[in-house]
Each structure stands twice: as structure tokens, then as C-alpha cells.
């Protein structure tokens, strides 16, 4: 059992590494294609990759005698959930991609990770209590965000960082929507449909605001393939497998390393060395992200 736990944790760290490096792929691709084109192609690739994934999972369930054919109601719920998740993902992913044009990959990784703090804040609208510890983490993250994202004059947030911050809010909404539908339907199919919807809607945005070019997409083939197949397809699959062997708290902590890997990848691959002020902001934000995921201490009764 201990070996299985280590295996699960290793897969989750690998997932965080893949997702963190994806910010570099997203940044590099902007040299060749527009943000909407990137998201459209990436999402279609991710959706196509996940088709054999859920077919293999189905085959395994059939061999084990655990396969149950979905009912008409379950199929309806799957499509409604997939479309809802896909619409929100379209907003979040495209805000992130537009923002990456004006900021660094490392900063985008840390600011995107703010969704971990925004999710419980959204719970306020559902009349869920926010603990004092979480309010402290939110304050710490806000200070970190200020140090990381304000312009040199300390007067305003950079345009790219603002878009990525909006993307973090949208990803928080996405998590809430996924949290509702995921227990009701097959996870791999849900993700496949949401990527398909995101691809279609991003394709519409491409037609409206960008000029699609196969030659330009081919020029960005390596980062697009990485983001579509590795980040969407492989990363999602590794997350599913890894979370089977560890607790949700440990899983979320390990996956939050995505922001650290984004900075390291930006330094090593793009030469985006953060300033001392930006480094301090990253440290404060990462401390807030980790602190928000640590379990509360239960009061001992005498």
C-alpha cells in the first residue's frame, strides 16, 4: 500500500511538471498563432486523445465485470455537464492565453493557481463559511500578487496579469461546475466533451477575430502538440490514476507545484529570470496556496 501511495504521488508530481511546462508551450506558440487558434487546436487534440483513454478504461471495467451501460438520463447529464464545463473552460482558457501574450510564463502559472483560493470564496454565495485561516491565506496571496504583478511604478497591475487573474476566477467557477457533475458521470468522457466544446467555441472566436493559417499552426506544431496531447490528454489521465492512490489534500498540494514548475521552466527554457520583488511575490503566493490546502486542526475536547 505504501508503494502504491508513492507511485500515486510521483504521478501527481509528474502531472504538475507537465502542466507547469505547458505555460512555456503556451507562451512560445504566441510567436506563430493567435490565442484563440491555439486554444481551438489544443482542445481538439486533447479531446481526440481522450477518446481511446475512456475506451481502454471501459474495456478494463468489462474484463473486471464492473461495466454498467449508462442510462438515457446519465447520457443527458453527461452532455449537459460537458457543455457547461466546456463553456466555462473556454472563457478561462482563452483569458489565460490572451494574458500570456503580455506576461511571463512563470507569473501566469502563479496567478492562475489563485483559483485554489477563489473556489472557497465562491462558496460564500452558497452560504458556506470561509475559515479565518483561509482569509489569512487570501490576504497573503493578495500581497504576493501585488509584489508579483504591479508595474514598475507600483501603481497598476500589468494588462497580462489582469487577464490571467480573471482566468483564475473563471477556473474557480470551472472547478465548482466540475465538482457538481463529476460524481454523476464518467470523468474521462466529461473531460473529452468539455475539450470538444472548448475547441468548437474557440474555433468560432478564431473565425471572428483571427486569420486561421495551417502554415502558422504547423510552425507552432511542437508547443501545440505538447499543450494538446501532453497537458490536456496525458496530464489529465495521470491525474486520474495518481489520485486513486493518495488523499485529495495531498493530491492538491502536489498539483499546486505546477506554479513552481512554471517559473523554473520559464527560467530554464525562456530565460525569464524573475526580479527580487517578483520572487518575493511568488514565495508569498505559494505559501498562501499551500496553506489554503492544509487541513484545519480539529479542536480537542476534554
Amino acid at each position: 500500500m505504501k508503494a502504491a501511495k508513492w507511485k500515486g504521488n510521483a504521478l501527481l508530481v509528474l502531472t504538475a511538471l507537465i502542466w507547469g511546462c505547458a505555460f512555456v508551450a503556451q507562451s512560445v506558440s504566441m510567436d506563430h498563432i493567435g490565442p484563440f487558434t491555439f486554444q481551438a487546436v489544443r482542445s481538439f487534440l486533447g479531446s481526440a486523445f481522450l477518446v481511446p483513454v475512456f475506451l481502454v478504461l471501459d474495456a478494463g471495467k468489462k474484463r473486471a465485470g464492473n461495466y454498467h451501460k449508462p442510462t438515457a438520463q446519465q447520457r443527458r447529464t453527461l452532455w449537459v455537464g460537458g457543455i457547461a464545463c466546456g463553456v466555462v473552460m473556454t472563457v478561462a482558457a482563452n483569458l489565460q492565453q490572451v494574458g500570456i501574450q503580455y506576461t511571463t510564463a512563470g507569473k501566469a502559472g502563479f496567478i492562475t493557481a489563485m483559483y485554489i483560493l477563489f473556489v472557497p470564496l465562491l462558496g460564500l454565495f452558497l452560504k458556506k463559511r470561509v475559515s479565518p485561516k483561509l482569509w489569512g491565506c487570501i490576504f497573503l496571496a493578495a500581497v504576493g500578487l501585488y509584489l508579483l504583478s504591479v508595474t514598475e511604478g507600483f501603481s497598476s497591475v500589468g494588462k497580462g496579469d489582469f487577464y490571467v487573474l480573471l482566468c483564475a476566477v473563471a477556473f474557480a467557477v470551472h472547478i465548482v461546475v466540475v465538482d457538481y457533475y463529476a460524481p454523476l458521470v464518467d470523468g474521462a468522457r466529461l473531460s473529452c466533451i468539455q475539450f470538444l466544446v472548448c475547441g468548437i467555441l474557440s474555433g468560432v472566436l478564431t473565425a471572428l477575430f483571427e486569420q486561421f493559417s495551417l502554415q502558422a499552426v504547423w510552425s507552432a506544431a511542437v508547443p501545440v502538440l505538447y499543450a494538446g496531447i501532453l497537458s490536456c490528454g496525458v496530464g489529465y489521465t495521470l491525474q486520474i490514476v495518481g489520485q486513486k492512490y493518495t488523499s485529495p489534500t495531498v493530491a492538491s498540494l502536489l498539483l499546486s507545484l505546477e506554479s513552481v514548475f512554471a517559473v523554473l521552466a520559464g527560467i530554464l527554457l525562456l530565460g525569464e529570470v524573475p526580479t527580487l520583488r517578483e520572487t518575493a511575490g511568488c514565495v508569498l503566493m505559494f505559501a498562501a496556496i499551500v496553506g489554503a490546502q492544509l487541513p484545519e486542526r480539529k479542536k480537542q475536547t476534554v
Side-chain angles (χ1 to χ4, degrees):
M1 187 67 182
K2 198 169 184 179
K5 185 178 179 181
W6 278 105
K7 173 187 173 185
N9 290 347
L11 290 176
L12 291 173
V13 171
L14 179 58
T15 302
L17 175 61
I18 290 172
W19 286 347
C21 292
F23 284 95
V24 172
Q26 290 175 250
S27 179
V28 170
S29 68
M30 292 296 93
D31 294 336
H32 306 283
I33 56 178
F36 302 136
T37 301
F38 174 85
Q39 285 301 335
V41 178
R42 171 196 191 180
S43 298
F44 282 132
L45 285 171
S47 181
F49 181 89
L50 284 168
V51 172
V53 169
F54 67 67
L55 290 177
V56 169
L57 290 174
D58 285 351
K61 290 177 183 177
K62 287 176 181 177
R63 284 194 298 270
N66 297 327
Y67 179 78
H68 301 286
K69 187 176 180 180
T71 64
Q73 178 60 45
Q74 288 173 327
R75 286 195 295 271
R76 265 195 305 273
T77 303
L78 173 65
W79 279 99
V80 171
I83 291 170
C85 293
V87 169
V88 181
M89 173 177 273
T90 300
V91 175
N94 282 291
L95 279 171
Q96 183 187 68
Q97 196 61 31
V98 170
I100 283 176
Q101 293 180 104
Y102 308 106
T103 188
T104 66
K107 289 169 72 173
F110 266 94
I111 297 170
T112 299
M114 287 278 286
Y115 68 79
I116 292 169
L117 301 172
F118 289 141
V119 169
L121 283 179
L122 289 176
L124 288 173
F125 295 99
L126 303 175
K127 298 183 178 179
K128 293 183 179 180
R129 188 180 69 89
V130 175
S131 67
K133 181 200 77 171
L134 186 61
W135 282 119
C137 290
I138 291 168
F139 174 77
L140 194 64
V143 175
L145 180 65
Y146 179 81
L147 293 175
L148 183 67
S149 301
V150 291
T151 57
E152 292 300 321
F154 282 79
S155 58
S156 62
V157 175
K159 180 167 68 170
D161 297 338
F162 179 70
Y163 281 130
V164 179
L165 184 62
L166 291 179
C167 130
V169 176
F171 270 127
V173 176
H174 180 259
I175 287 173
V176 173
V177 177
V178 170
D179 185 62
Y180 176 80
Y181 283 104
L184 306 176
V185 297
D186 178 77
R189 280 180 168 81
L190 180 69
S191 189
C192 181
I193 293 172
Q194 76 167 355
F195 283 133
L196 177 62
V197 172
C198 183
I200 292 171
L201 294 178
S202 297
V204 172
L205 292 172
T206 299
L208 291 174
F209 301 107
E210 296 175 0
Q211 187 172 359
F212 181 81
S213 166
L214 277 176
Q215 185 177 355
V217 172
W218 180 254
S219 299
V222 173
V224 169
L225 285 171
Y226 182 96
I229 295 177
L230 277 176
S231 181
C232 293
V234 176
Y236 171 78
T237 305
L238 290 176
Q239 181 191 15
I240 292 175
V241 176
Q243 285 194 217
K244 289 182 179 179
Y245 302 106
T246 191
S247 69
T249 300
V250 173
S252 59
L253 285 169
L254 293 176
L255 290 173
S256 69
L257 289 172
E258 169 191 3
S259 56
V260 177
F261 287 131
V263 169
L264 294 177
I267 293 171
L268 295 174
L269 300 176
L270 301 178
E272 296 176 344
V273 180
T275 64
L276 183 60
R277 177 165 60 88
E278 290 172 340
T279 301
C282 289
V283 170
L284 288 177
M285 289 182 71
F286 188 65
I289 290 163
V290 171
Q293 297 170 90
L294 293 175
E296 298 272 0
R297 284 189 177 182
K298 293 182 179 179
K299 292 182 180 179
Q300 295 182 346
T301 54
V302 181

